[in-house]
Amino acid sequence: MLIQAKGLSKIYGSGENQVVALDKANLTIAPGDFISIIGPSGSGKSTLLHLLSGLDHPTSGSLTYDGQEIYTLSDKELSAFRRRQMGFIFQQFNLLPVLTARENILMPLLLDKKQPDEGYLDQLAELLGLRDRLDHLPHELSGGQQQRVAIARALIAQPEVIFADEPTGNLDSKSGGEVMELLKGIRDRMGKTLVIITHDNRIAAAADRQLTIMDGVLSEVEAG
Ligand code: ADP
């Protein structure tokens, strides 16, 4: 899946209260890219992530997935596209507290009226070290385990692209390091595209391509 953002802008408010949250961002994401986007609070990271994942509409600009303009899809088409092609990982894990780890992981399939693939669930549980934790509720799991459940949930529908918003922001450095290793492994072994938003330099440095965002202006840090 080739993702191309061209001249993406998001402007909130008008007149004196106008805020340019994202200023004509251009970005090409190739299949299997591992990208980090780093910037301070309020720099436009969430805005960019919401636009790239089709959750929000830009004020101007275009976004294509394999040449298909995303923002022209109907709400229904876009939510189906997001469910099938994108996985999301959040800082706060966002697990449903009354569901077990297994039920949380399978939730995206349920929403899409798809049958769970037990073999794939088993493979994910093994990869993420969750085999003996699947019947536990989130509050019975450590932060690192909860985030691993969230990673499995992001992968269960076999999307091509994973968006992670501060995935280690709520974890101690050891669990955070483990989560990053797992995410890298997922890119290497499964060939997923990985886009990580962070304000942590160490996390950003783990990616193959690093972008910075400052006052809504996105730029790529040249390697070397
Ligand atoms: P970050 O994720 O880097 O903290 P955001 O993308 O959330 O930054 O915000 C970028 C800028 O846009 C900030 O100045 C923020 O106050 C502003 N902003 C974000 N969402 C809204 C909104 N719904 N209405 C008005 N301003 C907003």
Side-chain angles (χ1 to χ4, degrees):
M1 193 77 78
L2 182 73
I3 309 171
Q4 284 188 296
K6 286 193 190 136
L8 269 194
S9 293
K10 183 75 182 183
I11 299 171
Y12 291 109
S14 59
E16 270 181 26
N17 298 321
Q18 183 168 301
V19 175
V20 182
L22 191 67
D23 194 4
K24 303 187 201 76
N26 297 308
L27 177 61
T28 298
I29 305 175
D33 266 358
F34 176 10
I35 292 183
S36 65
I37 300 167
I38 191 166
S41 182
S43 58
K45 299 186 298 296
S46 310
T47 301
L48 176 63
L49 194 73
H50 290 163
L51 292 176
L52 285 179
S53 60
L55 191 64
D56 200 1
H57 284 244
T59 308
S60 57
S62 89
L63 176 72
T64 56
Y65 275 68
D66 278 347
Q68 159 82 57
E69 183 63 55
I70 288 303
Y71 304 127
T72 61
L73 296 176
S74 70
D75 286 352
K76 204 172 156 205
E77 287 168 332
L78 188 53
S79 20
F81 184 79
R82 295 177 82 247
R83 273 201 308 274
R84 287 164 200 165
Q85 303 294 353
M86 305 176 199
F88 294 90
I89 300 165
F90 307 94
Q91 176 170 1
Q92 308 289 349
F93 323 133
N94 292 10
L95 300 177
L96 291 168
V98 295
L99 300 185
T100 63
R102 178 196 310 275
E103 290 164 342
N104 268 290
I105 294 170
L106 294 175
M107 185 52 76
L109 296 181
L110 244 98
L111 292 173
D112 212 20
K113 300 188 179 64
K114 290 232 176 76
Q115 283 303 314
D117 176 342
E118 288 297 333
Y120 186 55
L121 173 62
D122 194 54
Q123 205 184 318
L124 287 178
E126 173 68 29
L127 177 71
L128 294 163
L130 291 169
R131 266 244 172 87
D132 56 352
R133 291 286 178 275
L134 289 178
D135 294 319
H136 290 249
L137 292 169
H139 77 85
E140 297 167 332
L141 302 173
S142 70
Q145 288 168 340
Q146 289 185 57
Q147 193 60 306
R148 285 187 265 139
V149 170
I151 294 172
R153 177 182 59 187
L155 289 166
I156 194 74
Q158 312 212 22
E160 285 193 37
V161 188
I162 305 288
F163 291 105
D165 191 354
E166 301 276 6
T168 62
N170 233 10
L171 302 174
D172 59 59
S173 68
K174 180 165 176 283
S175 320
E178 285 165 8
V179 159
M180 280 309 294
E181 280 307 311
L182 285 167
L183 287 174
K184 271 200 269 183
I186 282 157
R187 198 286 303 269
D188 294 343
R189 291 162 68 159
M190 299 184 174
K192 306 288 182 195
T193 304
L194 206 54
V195 181
I196 296 188
I197 299 280
T198 184
H199 62 255
D200 182 333
N201 274 312
R202 281 176 316 161
I203 304 294
D208 300 332
R209 288 175 64 193
Q210 291 179 53
L211 286 93
T212 58
I213 185 163
M214 203 56 95
D215 293 333
V217 178
L218 182 70
S219 42
E220 182 137 10
V221 179
E222 296 304 328

